[in-house]
Amino acid sequence: MQIAFTKSALPATGAVAAPVFEGGLKEGVFAALDARSKGALARAAATVNFSGKKDQVLDIIAPAFLENSRILIIGVGKKADFTILGAEGAGGLAAVRLMRMREKSVSIALDGFDSDKTTIDGAAAHFAQGFLLRTYRFDKYKTKLEPDQKPQLAKVTIHTPSTKAKVLFAELEKIAQGVTFTRDLVSEPPNVLYPESFAARCKELEALGVKVTVLGVKEMKKLGMGALLGVGQGSARESKLVALEWKGGREGKAPVALVGKGVCFDTGGISIKPAAGMEDMKWDMGGAGAVAGAIKALAMRKAKANVVGVLGLVENMPDGNAQRPSDVVRSMSGQTIEIINTDAEGRLVLADAIWWTQEVYKPVAMVDLATLTGAILIALANEYAGLFTKDDALAAQLLKAGEATGELLWRMPLAKVHDDVIKSDIADMKNTGPREGGSSNAAAFIGRFVKKGAAWAHLDIAGKAWTTKDLPVVPKGATGYGVRLLDEWIRTNYEK
Ligand code: BES
Ligand code: MN
Ligand code: ZN
């Protein structure tokens, strides 16, 4: 999708779209178009009770007295409440409507589209971002699509007096490319995307200046990564550990580390999952997908920070060689783990990935992302990802980045009680505790592999990596959650 910005007047032909504030039908673009159409727009609005309430749509085909093929008006609610996230949502809604039309291009009027909470520059750039994010499709495996079932829209021209929107959007577009990278990875079926092919896709990031290192089983054995390797030992696919280094900051400065759970398929292993819904477990690599997409976004926009992304890539399968409940494995940290449930595999992968990250990179701060527990869905539904950390300053930074991007987080407890319940009778710890507090117990497990005093946060994104319904800037399917959040967190805290 090509998105251009211009100051020129709205064309008198073709499709035109514009947002309108609630109660703002007598002003700005709407009033101007209404005058040109000799009141046809106002009559249409009155007919369907359109007043500009948020997400209301007024779609007029072949409007009277106008040469335009279509006028699409998007309600954005009260001006006093209008933010950049509202602008993104309006862009997303416009995209849904315009993708269904036959025309190849559309003009969008963004004039008078500011509020106390955003400038016209921010509003126009984020409208474009929302538009772009919502046009995402994953249809590469649909072989029977007729040409008329595919969207024709290829060019969006935004008519706005804003002088800065174009520059702002150039950055946002790069972040969107990171989001798209993540969505593509998460959407792929597990017969196509497995540890080795995931690693191969990461190699594409070398073209952007990212240093990509891939460790295989042989190397990981040498390092003593018994926790990660135990998860993958029942799979015909070789486990991999991938490091993605973006060095845009001062040379020699310690990096920020992002660590992702990349379980390319989670059957549960010998503690096998029920059949119903097991297909969802193709997106159990959503944490690793988000980390890879965030590194892509940072590299695309040449972020002035040193960041390393580490992906623990495995497949959790039942097999004659699979690990058993009651096995004891030794992690790279030297700590031993009694396996109670082979379905609690994500924490085992992260245990070694996180330890290795600290040993090799000595990061200033470390955030891990994982589709870790079903329990986080019980607590937070699909609205928030769970944030677990003992570091209040880091929590504040991440919560703020979530608010700014709409990728929301909710802080969850991480206390001594959660650590107490994973004591084992025969090893240093066991990999599951009771059902009660399941997400916190899992976080406490990971916490045992974080070095004392390190700035670390864990994000449980099990409710966020995938959506079964369309969202304002996310079509149903892989969300790409985490990319914008991490980009924002790094931009506001580490790029100075
Ligand atoms: N990948 C799952 C968690 C999950 C569940 C993600 C639903 C997305 C949607 C994880 O590996 C898992 O199986 N967790 C278990 C842990 C339990 C065995 C302690 C769970 O949540 O049931
Ligand atoms: Mn599992
Ligand atoms: Zn899992």
Side-chain angles (χ1 to χ4, degrees):
M1 188 71 59
Q2 192 198 338
I3 300 190
F5 293 82
T6 174
K7 288 202 184 89
S8 65
L10 272 181
T13 57
V16 164
V20 63
F21 287 119
E22 186 172 345
L25 272 57
K26 296 224 150 49
E27 303 147 21
V29 177
F30 188 93
L33 289 169
D34 188 45
R36 274 202 230 167
S37 74
K38 303 188 183 170
L41 264 58
R43 280 203 307 283
T47 307
V48 295
N49 262 331
F50 178 91
S51 59
K53 282 203 175 70
K54 196 167 178 306
D55 299 338
Q56 266 187 341
V57 174
L58 182 66
D59 199 355
I60 310 164
I61 313 296
F65 303 107
L66 295 179
E67 298 286 308
N68 299 98
S69 54
R70 178 183 194 175
I71 305 280
L72 177 74
I73 306 290
I74 307 281
V76 293
K78 295 208 170 69
K79 185 165 176 141
D81 303 331
F82 184 68
T83 63
I84 52 166
L85 295 182
E88 286 183 7
L93 193 51
V96 171
R97 290 298 186 124
L98 296 168
M99 292 274 281
R100 287 192 214 132
M101 67 174 194
R102 303 322 315 149
E103 273 147 302
K104 289 196 165 52
S105 67
V106 61
S107 295
I108 298 182
L110 298 182
D111 196 353
F113 189 50
D114 52 346
S115 74
D116 290 347
K117 292 176 178 158
T118 172
T119 60
I120 181 68
D121 306 314
H126 282 271
F127 181 98
Q129 172 78 329
F131 194 105
L132 187 60
L133 288 170
R134 189 65 194 270
T135 59
Y136 178 78
R137 286 166 65 93
F138 188 80
D139 55 12
K140 64 190 277 198
Y141 298 115
K142 289 197 173 275
T143 63
K144 294 189 167 132
L145 282 184
E146 300 292 332
D148 68 355
Q149 291 174 304
K150 292 188 187 155
Q152 301 296 305
L153 189 65
K155 181 162 189 199
V156 178
T157 306
I158 297 185
H159 298 253
T160 177
S162 166
T163 47
K164 296 206 190 95
K166 188 182 156 108
V167 183
L168 288 176
F169 177 66
E171 288 280 286
L172 294 176
E173 193 176 21
K174 290 169 186 160
I175 299 167
Q177 283 175 283
V179 174
T180 297
F181 188 58
T182 301
R183 288 178 180 174
D184 284 344
L185 290 167
V186 175
S187 301
E188 285 288 3
N191 59 329
V192 173
L193 196 89
Y194 44 88
E196 191 180 348
S197 57
F198 192 146
R201 290 214 188 180
C202 290
K203 281 265 176 195
E204 293 168 19
L205 301 179
E206 282 177 343
L208 300 174
V210 176
K211 183 179 169 200
V212 181
T213 310
V214 182
L215 307 191
V217 167
K218 208 170 134 216
E219 290 98 328
M220 287 192 276
K221 265 197 184 136
K222 236 189 227 152
L223 289 162
M225 293 191 177
L228 186 153
L229 289 171
V231 176
Q233 78 186 32
S235 171
R237 311 287 196 185
E238 185 184 348
S239 301
K240 301 280 180 187
L241 188 80
V242 175
L244 307 168
E245 290 172 68
W246 170 251
K247 293 175 192 163
R250 190 163 48 71
E251 209 191 309
K253 197 174 173 192
V256 173
L258 310 172
V259 184
K261 167 180 171 181
V263 177
C264 296
F265 194 77
D266 180 14
T267 63
I270 295 301
S271 312
I272 199 162
K273 288 179 180 296
M278 203 201 276
E279 67 279 10
D280 283 348
M281 288 300 108
K282 80 165 181 182
W283 47 264
D284 207 20
M285 35 57 71
V291 170
I295 296 291
K296 173 157 185 174
L298 294 166
M300 288 288 305
R301 64 174 188 78
K302 299 195 168 32
K304 290 189 173 49
N306 295 338
V307 184
V308 60
V310 175
L311 320 177
L313 306 178
V314 301
E315 186 181 52
N316 188 20
M317 298 292 272
D319 178 75
N321 192 44
Q323 88 178 338
R324 291 151 290 257
S326 78
D327 277 1
V328 173
V329 296
R330 181 182 298 273
S331 67
M332 184 185 171
S333 73
Q335 301 178 91
T336 56
I337 306 160
E338 180 188 10
I339 307 297
I340 299 298
N341 188 322
T342 63
D343 198 11
E345 85 296 341
R347 63 199 76 182
L348 297 166
V349 172
L350 287 173
D352 280 335
I354 278 178
W355 191 263
W356 182 79
T357 300
Q358 295 170 103
E359 290 281 282
V360 176
Y361 296 102
K362 309 200 166 28
V364 282
M366 178 168 66
V367 175
D368 77 75
L369 289 89
T371 50
L372 204 65
T373 65
I376 202 70
L377 275 143
I378 306 302
L380 303 176
N382 297 104
E383 306 310 311
Y384 301 88
L387 163 64
F388 301 80
T389 181
K390 291 187 176 168
D391 187 323
D392 291 343
L394 181 56
Q397 290 174 1
L398 288 163
L399 287 165
K400 199 167 165 208
E403 292 286 342
T405 55
E407 296 199 331
L408 298 174
L409 293 168
W410 195 272
R411 192 168 178 186
M412 299 287 287
L414 176 55
K416 185 170 175 298
V417 287
H418 305 114
D419 187 77
D420 289 342
V421 296
I422 53 170
K423 285 183 181 145
S424 160
D425 292 335
I426 76 155
D428 296 334
M429 70 196 87
K430 52 186 182 179
N431 78 328
T432 59
R435 271 162 52 84
E436 294 81 3
S439 303
S440 292
N441 303 341
F445 180 96
I446 300 167
R448 288 195 179 206
F449 299 87
V450 176
K451 296 195 175 179
K452 248 200 153 60
W456 160 70
H458 157 62
L459 309 184
D460 192 334
I461 65 167
K464 296 302 297 181
W466 190 264
T467 178
T468 54
K469 56 177 204 279
D470 289 332
L471 302 173
V473 300
V474 186
K476 75 173 189 222
T479 62
Y481 179 92
V483 174
R484 304 177 69 198
L485 172 79
L486 294 170
D487 177 83
E488 175 74 14
W489 173 60
I490 287 166
R491 181 210 316 279
T492 50
N493 295 286
Y494 294 97
E495 288 183 61
K496 271 161 224 158

